[in-house]
Amino acid sequence: MRLHRLKRLFVGSPLPTAQQRHERLGKATALAVFASDPLSSVAYATEEILLVLILAGSAALSYSLPIGIGIAALILIVITSYRQTIRAYPQGGGAYIVAKDNLGVFPALIAGAALLIDYVLTVAVSVAAGVAAITSAVPQLLPYRVGLCLLAVAGIAVANLRGVRESGKIFTAPTYVFVVSILAMVGWGVGGAAFGLLPAAPYAPHAPGLEGIGVFLFLRAFSAGCTALTGVEAVSDGVPAFKPPEAHNARIVMAWLGAISVAMFLGITYLAYDLGIVPGGDETVVSKIARRLFGTGVAYFEVQAVTTLILLLAANTSFADFPRLSFFLARDRFIPRQFATQGDRLVFSNGIVILAGLASVLVVVFRGDTQELLPLYAIGVFISFTFSQSGMVRRWLRLKEEGWAWRMWFSLVGAVVTGIVLVTLAATKFMEGAWIVVLLIPALVGLFLTIHRHYDTVAAQLSLEDVAPPPPLDGTILVLVGDLHRGVVRALQYAQSLSPTAKAVYVETDPERTHRLEQRWGKWGMGVPLIVLNSPYRSVLGPLMDYIDQLQRQRGDNHVVTIVLPEFIPAKWWQQLLHNQTALLIKGQLLFHKNVVVTDVPYHLKH
Amino acid sequence: MRLHRLKRLFVGSPLPTAQQRHERLGKATALAVFASDPLSSVAYATEEILLVLILAGSAALSYSLPIGIGIAALILIVITSYRQTIRAYPQGGGAYIVAKDNLGVFPALIAGAALLIDYVLTVAVSVAAGVAAITSAVPQLLPYRVGLCLLAVAGIAVANLRGVRESGKIFTAPTYVFVVSILAMVGWGVGGAAFGLLPAAPYAPHAPGLEGIGVFLFLRAFSAGCTALTGVEAVSDGVPAFKPPEAHNARIVMAWLGAISVAMFLGITYLAYDLGIVPGGDETVVSKIARRLFGTGVAYFEVQAVTTLILLLAANTSFADFPRLSFFLARDRFIPRQFATQGDRLVFSNGIVILAGLASVLVVVFRGDTQELLPLYAIGVFISFTFSQSGMVRRWLRLKEEGWAWRMWFSLVGAVVTGIVLVTLAATKFMEGAWIVVLLIPALVGLFLTIHRHYDTVAAQLSLEDVAPPPPLDGTILVLVGDLHRGVVRALQYAQSLSPTAKAVYVETDPERTHRLEQRWGKWGMGVPLIVLNSPYRSVLGPLMDYIDQLQRQRGDNHVVTIVLPEFIPAKWWQQLLHNQTALLIKGQLLFHKNVVVTDVPYHLKH
């Protein structure tokens, strides 16, 4: 009861089904909603590239430019490719759906597992990066990093459990302010550098590196930057949320998204190069850039604040994506069906709670450190890219819709490029933590298949198909008594109301007590005959089971024995601890006994 | 089921009640059984005195001699006093019983709470000291101290859950070997010193102290040594275990115990003084003495091994004392009645498990450190001494039995002296941890009284006295269906076998599903009428409750509604996680509803 009130306080009152409605998003709002996740990666993608390059000395940092351009090209390829998917799946074409539709169940499950993992990582990475933006500005908060991350996860989870009704409005302002802030910063930086308006950079000699810049290090830096692509697939999942014509609007938003993404990512990467930013320490690269350009003033704090905000919104998008994918997987019976039921606030509460729990575990295990989390990230999303684009290739070839020939090429290029990046990612990040994801995906797929098989066998065992209606049942009612009190008297009356042939059973552990019971039975036995069973081991259960077995052997298969248990219910829950749990034990034991039904007859105490 | 087999493996098969027997102990065996606890304190009592004195510099260590003599005198006073108690309570006179008999319930509960705490501490302290004896000899094991302590507690607990059948035999050898070893060591040391046979002591200049030796420090050292008295009361609790004449034999054993205790304690204290042992570091004082006298050879290791053994046996005695006292408290309804039931191995399993759990918590919290645990110790036992002796004074005055006048004086001296020591203990050890015990005792007494009151009100509410037999009950049977499958069909049949007027209830969340259900009802409804309830909030429970309320309003107070729940039971426990726990929820909610009985009809799946 207490727990119930606590839940209401945080989550709010239940909502009727009739209130379910589908908010449709205009293009500008939709861009804000779907962009927070892909755009927020600007906050860490450049930094990741630099952190790899610095291993070859600060002179190697300039390689960030070609890498940045490569990643920008990758973004454009993926975006173009997904615009084809949107056209084909106006009802929403997430990787799981597209793969299941065109490649079969197994690839779909791989994509599903990869995405579930990535959604959890999105929450952990975004929250950790958001907190890093805070601690870059206020280093005194550094020791509370993990606590702040957990607080953020919990806050977002509670907001989602309540159901974020006006989600579009929440997103619009921070997203556009973020885009404007970052682009303004880039403009200020590039312009200032061109006209020599910036404060002079502190002298920093080029530090020697630990290793030479080789192909592997270059590829590792490229892989590290691929986190910039996470989240671009979100638009294709959410096409039905657009105002009509849905697919058309979604394709336009996708194009905008690509352009803004590339502009911001290239801008930050160029600024970091141009200002000679050296990554590392407890301050993020974006914070270093902003501090160099603006000093530690209002403009600097504005950039940090809006970066934090956009990262928290990015984490929030997973709280829509994860429960939605869980719903599809649960509907197809690959994960427990509890994920398919809406809570009383019309949201998929189980998915939200599980996501928050898993993300919290990650935050604690990796101590809220973005750098440690990122190597696990992006693998999942590239698996989903590759499977989704491959599925589209199959689809164009199969259906041969209008313009299929040249559209197929877009998808094919997307599939091949993302496939190559995927292999690069797995290879270069394997030792740093990607192995966890590589092992986890087949384990999850195995779990999905096991669960699916279980649901199938249950359905087969419960099915009424080709079954003849069974013959009627008959039964015996036995009241288990250990004493005589008001609760027992009530149970005896109840048994009598069910059947005039009900009997009472008493397990004897002490002959003297039996004697006393038998003496009082005349007045209080309610006319129910009393059977006394002997118990040499003081166990109540053993003799009872023997008696039931004997009864069932006599009466055959259609005979059900009902055990009526008198149970008094204390007024307060803690008082239950002061009484023997014999009833619970007996129920537990008899649950697995064929043709036995156990019925508690509660007697409620008042204080 | 798995759990059950695991239990059998550790605990053994159940024993029939008829096997219960009372082992009677001869004097020599009894001494061994009851002496392990009081004698084992020799392993740490002297050390505790020295650790306080060292605060005033190593020159102050010589004050250990007068303190040791004072404590020896205290031992003799308490022993003499308890010999009177044994005479008066041949059926066993623990402090709880004596206090309840002569002083009333409240003092008895204080004594009981104090003793329960002390028994837990005995286990923790003895095990920690036993492990300290091991780590003194093998310092490499020091990092595993807490683990070793927990292992020891678990081992002793399991042995006791099995029922230590031949306990006398287990005790005899280690106790006597310990007594002989320590006395031989004392003899060797004193003799060797007298004849100058010992190896020369390493030169150690007197270190200056942190504080001067004042009255408070002296009293603190005395208090610290009082741990030597813990356990001497055990004989008086266990009089019925002696061979007849029980009281006579117990009194003789008590006298022996006093003599040996004093000899060993004074011997060790003198040796520590004579050899100039400085306490501290990770080695016990007894280990230092043995190493000085014998070198690190066979004799040294023998002393350490037998010390460990006697300390583990001392911990073991609490596993008899705690459950026995719990039994008395539970029988008098001051603690949950589960403590009064014997397990299937004829031991009070609940008391054993709780004791082991609490002692483990102490070991972990205090990191297995004897020195940190000891300030909490001895307070409890001195409370019980004081109350028990005061009770005896009341008793002599009240009953005026033969020789009451001079016997009363023994008890009075005991009560006054132990009372003064108790106040000294509480005052000097308060800040070091005794405050925990001082706060815990009234809290426990409050808990005892709350529990007692609860049992009284329950008994009154269940009593059949002055109650007229209630009128017979009638009822309605409702089968709650969510679907149609073999499990539901079985539940419908079961309901029909109970009553031809049974009905089925379906809560509608989706009109289309209702329609499908109604179509199949003709063939599979078994002729049971179907009632459809509407649910705007998707909750199954709400509409059902409303329906039940409505029914009960129509039918009045003697009408019981039986809700039959079809439930399929998966073949493996983990599969349960894959299904909705609706049945559990409904049962939980309806448990508190008056005049409602919930019956599960299980349908067992095969795989």
Side-chain angles (χ1 to χ4, degrees):
Chain A
M1 294 296 110
R2 293 271 167 74
L3 215 66
H4 182 75
R5 250 180 271 153
L6 199 70
K7 179 184 165 191
R8 284 287 153 254
L9 179 68
F10 279 108
V11 171
S13 330
L15 297 174
T17 316
Q19 271 196 32
Q20 186 145 38
R21 75 199 158 94
H22 297 286
E23 191 188 15
R24 289 303 186 102
L25 305 171
K27 287 195 283 290
T29 318
L31 180 61
V33 169
F34 291 111
S36 66
D37 185 6
L39 295 188
S40 70
S41 43
V42 163
Y44 46 78
T46 302
E47 179 162 358
E48 285 307 292
I49 299 174
L50 298 180
L51 278 169
V52 175
L53 292 176
I54 193 81
L55 294 173
S58 50
L61 290 179
S62 58
Y63 285 101
S64 63
L65 288 187
I67 288 172
I69 290 167
I71 284 169
L74 189 58
I75 293 177
L76 294 179
I77 291 172
V78 170
I79 294 264
T80 315
S81 185
Y82 262 108
R83 278 166 46 95
Q84 307 306 323
T85 310
I86 291 170
R87 180 185 295 272
Y89 284 90
Q91 75 283 28
Y96 172 70
I97 306 251
V98 174
K100 210 180 93 182
D101 225 27
N102 300 297
L103 301 175
V105 167
F106 201 69
L109 290 181
I110 295 174
L115 278 176
L116 284 185
I117 293 171
D118 238 47
Y119 291 145
V120 176
L121 281 163
T122 299
V123 176
V125 166
S126 302
V127 161
V131 169
I134 296 176
T135 56
S136 292
V138 190
Q140 292 84 343
L141 291 174
L142 210 55
Y144 310 107
R145 189 163 68 173
V146 174
L148 287 171
C149 287
L150 294 178
L151 205 69
V153 172
I156 299 170
V158 168
N160 278 280
L161 284 174
R162 295 189 70 98
V164 186
R165 308 292 298 165
E166 311 294 328
S167 51
K169 284 184 194 157
I170 296 180
F171 280 84
T172 322
T175 306
Y176 286 110
V177 173
F178 178 71
V179 170
V180 169
S181 302
I182 296 289
L183 290 181
M185 186 170 81
V186 169
W188 176 266
V190 173
F195 298 102
L197 299 174
L198 296 182
Y203 174 73
H206 278 180
L210 299 169
E211 26 188 311
I213 178 92
V215 174
F216 185 76
L217 200 71
F218 191 84
L219 287 178
R220 249 181 83 190
F222 180 81
S223 299
C226 283
T227 51
L229 275 89
T230 53
V232 300
E233 81 289 359
V235 177
S236 69
D237 291 354
V239 185
F242 282 79
K243 282 197 179 137
E246 291 87 354
H248 176 78
N249 287 335
R251 282 162 55 84
I252 292 174
V253 164
M254 198 82 186
W256 287 356
L257 176 61
I260 299 175
S261 235
V262 166
M264 289 173 73
F265 173 68
L266 279 183
I268 292 284
T269 306
Y270 177 76
L271 267 191
Y273 158 75
D274 198 39
L275 300 176
I277 299 291
V278 177
D282 284 327
E283 188 173 4
T284 65
V285 164
V286 171
S287 167
K288 284 174 179 170
I289 293 175
R291 221 191 275 270
R292 268 291 298 288
L293 292 179
F294 306 125
T296 311
V298 176
Y300 166 76
F301 283 111
E302 191 269 349
V303 169
Q304 292 307 108
V306 79
T307 305
T308 303
L309 214 54
I310 197 88
L311 282 162
L312 296 184
L313 287 179
N316 186 66
T317 57
S318 277
F319 279 89
D321 296 338
F322 185 97
R324 182 174 43 218
L325 179 54
S326 300
F327 169 77
F328 289 132
L329 285 166
R331 195 196 54 188
D332 296 344
R333 307 200 154 186
F334 289 112
I335 63 172
R337 61 175 64 173
Q338 286 92 328
F339 287 99
T341 44
Q342 282 183 320
D344 46 21
R345 296 283 294 184
L346 292 169
V347 295
F348 296 106
S349 335
N350 290 318
I352 292 171
V353 169
I354 294 279
L355 174 62
L358 293 176
S360 300
V361 169
L362 275 186
V363 163
V364 170
V365 170
F366 290 90
R367 295 180 303 280
D369 189 334
T370 329
Q371 257 70 58
E372 291 195 37
L373 282 162
L374 279 168
L376 282 70
Y377 201 32
I379 298 241
V381 88
F382 272 89
I383 291 177
S384 83
F385 286 161
T386 311
F387 277 80
S388 154
Q389 306 310 332
S390 311
M392 288 308 295
V393 173
R394 270 293 288 279
R395 187 189 159 92
W396 300 125
L397 290 175
R398 189 159 50 88
L399 298 183
K400 301 208 185 335
E401 286 164 340
E402 194 211 325
W404 68 272
W406 62 273
R407 291 191 198 285
M408 190 267 282
W409 282 105
F410 277 114
S411 298
L412 188 61
V413 169
V416 170
V417 171
T418 53
I420 291 170
V421 173
L422 172 60
V423 173
T424 313
L425 270 174
T428 55
K429 291 182 165 186
F430 193 81
M431 296 307 294
E432 290 170 80
W435 61 270
I436 300 173
V437 178
V438 171
L439 291 181
L440 211 53
I441 289 174
L444 276 179
V445 171
L447 186 65
F448 293 163
L449 293 172
T450 308
I451 289 172
H452 193 75
R453 201 164 46 238
H454 168 72
Y455 282 130
D456 278 353
T457 59
V458 167
Q461 289 178 83
L462 290 177
S463 163
L464 291 170
E465 224 141 284
D466 306 319
V467 174
L473 297 172
D474 70 327
T476 308
I477 312 251
L478 299 176
V479 187
L480 185 65
V481 300
D483 198 355
L484 255 180
H485 57 61
R486 289 188 216 173
V488 175
V489 168
R490 188 174 171 81
L492 292 170
Q493 285 190 303
Y494 176 76
Q496 250 177 343
S497 83
L498 294 181
S499 159
T501 63
K503 294 189 193 73
V505 176
Y506 175 71
V507 180
E508 166 177 296
T509 48
D510 173 0
E512 209 173 291
R513 288 190 58 191
T514 315
H515 186 65
R516 281 202 301 271
L517 183 73
E518 279 168 337
Q519 279 181 327
R520 299 174 68 204
W521 198 258
K523 179 172 182 197
W524 289 108
M526 303 285 115
V528 176
L530 179 68
I531 297 162
V532 176
L533 307 174
N534 200 297
S535 173
Y537 290 88
R538 298 170 312 289
S539 147
V540 172
L541 218 55
L544 181 66
M545 301 288 259
D546 293 346
Y547 182 74
I548 293 172
D549 285 345
Q550 186 194 327
L551 211 72
Q552 289 184 326
R553 246 175 285 128
Q554 286 168 10
R555 302 294 185 89
D557 256 6
N558 284 313
H559 192 82
V560 175
V561 177
T562 302
I563 304 290
V564 174
L565 293 178
E567 194 175 15
F568 58 86
I569 313 288
K572 303 217 170 63
W573 68 265
W574 60 265
Q575 294 170 341
Q576 193 69 53
L577 300 175
L578 302 177
H579 300 281
N580 282 323
Q581 308 305 319
T582 323
L584 204 68
L585 230 94
I586 292 171
K587 272 184 275 185
Q589 199 73 23
L590 290 177
L591 187 62
F592 297 98
H593 216 84
K594 216 189 143 194
N595 286 340
V596 172
V597 169
V598 182
T599 300
D600 275 308
V601 178
Y603 183 82
H604 297 92
L605 301 181
K606 284 184 194 65
H607 37 258
Chain B
M1 293 293 106
R2 293 274 165 73
L3 214 69
H4 182 77
R5 251 180 269 152
L6 198 71
K7 178 185 166 189
R8 285 286 154 255
L9 179 69
F10 278 108
V11 172
S13 328
L15 298 172
T17 316
Q19 270 195 36
Q20 187 147 37
R21 77 200 157 91
H22 297 286
E23 191 189 16
R24 290 303 186 102
L25 306 171
K27 285 194 286 289
T29 317
L31 180 61
V33 169
F34 291 111
S36 67
D37 184 7
L39 295 189
S40 69
S41 43
V42 162
Y44 46 78
T46 302
E47 180 162 357
E48 285 307 294
I49 298 174
L50 297 180
L51 277 168
V52 174
L53 291 176
I54 193 83
L55 294 175
S58 52
L61 290 179
S62 58
Y63 285 101
S64 62
L65 289 188
I67 289 172
I69 290 168
I71 285 169
L74 188 59
I75 295 177
L76 294 179
I77 290 171
V78 170
I79 294 263
T80 314
S81 186
Y82 262 108
R83 278 166 47 94
Q84 307 306 324
T85 311
I86 293 170
R87 181 186 295 271
Y89 284 90
Q91 76 283 27
Y96 172 70
I97 307 249
V98 173
K100 209 179 94 181
D101 226 26
N102 301 297
L103 301 176
V105 167
F106 201 68
L109 291 182
I110 294 174
L115 278 174
L116 285 185
I117 294 171
D118 238 49
Y119 291 146
V120 177
L121 281 162
T122 299
V123 175
V125 165
S126 302
V127 162
V131 169
I134 296 177
T135 54
S136 292
V138 190
Q140 292 84 344
L141 290 175
L142 211 54
Y144 311 106
R145 189 163 67 171
V146 173
L148 287 171
C149 286
L150 293 179
L151 203 71
V153 172
I156 298 170
V158 168
N160 279 280
L161 284 173
R162 294 190 70 99
V164 185
R165 309 292 298 166
E166 312 292 329
S167 51
K169 282 184 196 158
I170 297 178
F171 279 85
T172 321
T175 305
Y176 285 111
V177 173
F178 177 70
V179 171
V180 170
S181 302
I182 295 291
L183 290 181
M185 186 170 82
V186 170
W188 176 264
V190 174
F195 298 105
L197 299 175
L198 297 184
Y203 174 73
H206 279 180
L210 298 170
E211 27 188 311
I213 178 94
V215 175
F216 185 75
L217 201 73
F218 191 83
L219 286 179
R220 250 181 82 190
F222 180 82
S223 299
C226 283
T227 51
L229 275 89
T230 55
V232 302
E233 82 289 359
V235 177
S236 70
D237 291 353
V239 184
F242 283 78
K243 281 197 180 139
E246 291 88 355
H248 176 78
N249 288 335
R251 282 162 55 85
I252 292 174
V253 165
M254 198 82 186
W256 286 356
L257 174 61
I260 298 175
S261 234
V262 166
M264 289 173 72
F265 172 68
L266 279 183
I268 291 285
T269 305
Y270 178 76
L271 267 190
Y273 158 75
D274 200 37
L275 299 176
I277 298 292
V278 177
D282 283 329
E283 188 174 3
T284 65
V285 164
V286 170
S287 168
K288 285 174 178 171
I289 293 175
R291 222 190 272 271
R292 270 293 297 286
L293 291 179
F294 305 127
T296 311
V298 176
Y300 167 75
F301 283 110
E302 192 268 348
V303 169
Q304 291 307 107
V306 79
T307 304
T308 302
L309 214 55
I310 197 87
L311 282 162
L312 295 185
L313 287 179
N316 184 68
T317 55
S318 276
F319 279 88
D321 296 339
F322 185 96
R324 180 173 46 216
L325 179 54
S326 300
F327 168 77
F328 288 131
L329 284 166
R331 194 196 54 187
D332 296 344
R333 307 198 153 186
F334 289 111
I335 63 172
R337 63 176 61 175
Q338 286 91 326
F339 288 99
T341 45
Q342 283 183 321
D344 48 20
R345 296 284 294 185
L346 293 169
V347 294
F348 296 105
S349 333
N350 290 318
I352 293 171
V353 169
I354 293 281
L355 174 62
L358 293 176
S360 300
V361 168
L362 274 186
V363 163
V364 170
V365 169
F366 290 90
R367 296 180 303 279
D369 189 333
T370 328
Q371 256 73 56
E372 290 196 36
L373 282 162
L374 279 168
L376 281 70
Y377 200 36
I379 298 242
V381 88
F382 271 89
I383 290 177
S384 82
F385 285 161
T386 310
F387 277 81
S388 154
Q389 305 310 331
S390 311
M392 288 307 294
V393 173
R394 271 294 286 280
R395 185 190 162 95
W396 300 126
L397 290 174
R398 188 163 51 91
L399 298 183
K400 300 205 185 331
E401 285 165 340
E402 194 212 325
W404 68 273
W406 62 270
R407 290 190 198 286
M408 189 269 282
W409 280 106
F410 277 115
S411 299
L412 187 63
V413 170
V416 171
V417 171
T418 54
I420 291 170
V421 173
L422 172 60
V423 173
T424 313
L425 271 173
T428 55
K429 291 180 165 186
F430 192 81
M431 295 308 295
E432 290 169 80
W435 61 271
I436 301 173
V437 177
V438 171
L439 291 182
L440 210 53
I441 288 175
L444 276 179
V445 171
L447 186 66
F448 294 164
L449 293 172
T450 309
I451 291 173
H452 193 74
R453 200 163 48 237
H454 168 73
Y455 281 131
D456 277 354
T457 60
V458 168
Q461 288 177 84
L462 290 177
S463 164
L464 291 170
E465 225 142 283
D466 307 318
V467 174
L473 297 173
D474 69 329
T476 307
I477 312 247
L478 299 177
V479 186
L480 185 66
V481 299
D483 199 355
L484 255 180
H485 57 60
R486 289 188 216 174
V488 175
V489 169
R490 189 175 171 81
L492 291 170
Q493 286 191 303
Y494 175 77
Q496 251 177 343
S497 83
L498 294 182
S499 158
T501 64
K503 294 188 194 69
V505 176
Y506 174 72
V507 180
E508 165 177 296
T509 48
D510 174 1
E512 208 175 291
R513 288 189 59 190
T514 315
H515 186 66
R516 282 203 300 273
L517 183 73
E518 279 168 338
Q519 279 183 326
R520 300 173 69 203
W521 199 260
K523 180 171 181 195
W524 290 109
M526 305 282 116
V528 176
L530 178 68
I531 296 161
V532 176
L533 307 174
N534 199 296
S535 173
Y537 290 87
R538 301 169 311 288
S539 147
V540 171
L541 218 55
L544 181 66
M545 302 288 259
D546 292 345
Y547 183 74
I548 293 172
D549 286 345
Q550 186 195 329
L551 211 73
Q552 289 185 326
R553 247 175 283 129
Q554 286 168 11
R555 303 296 185 91
D557 255 6
N558 284 312
H559 192 83
V560 175
V561 176
T562 302
I563 305 289
V564 174
L565 294 177
E567 192 176 19
F568 58 86
I569 312 287
K572 304 217 168 61
W573 69 264
W574 60 265
Q575 295 170 340
Q576 192 70 55
L577 300 175
L578 302 178
H579 300 282
N580 282 324
Q581 308 304 317
T582 324
L584 205 67
L585 231 94
I586 292 171
K587 272 184 276 183
Q589 200 70 26
L590 290 176
L591 186 62
F592 297 99
H593 216 85
K594 216 189 146 196
N595 287 339
V596 172
V597 168
V598 181
T599 300
D600 275 307
V601 178
Y603 183 83
H604 296 94
L605 301 180
K606 286 184 190 68
H607 40 259

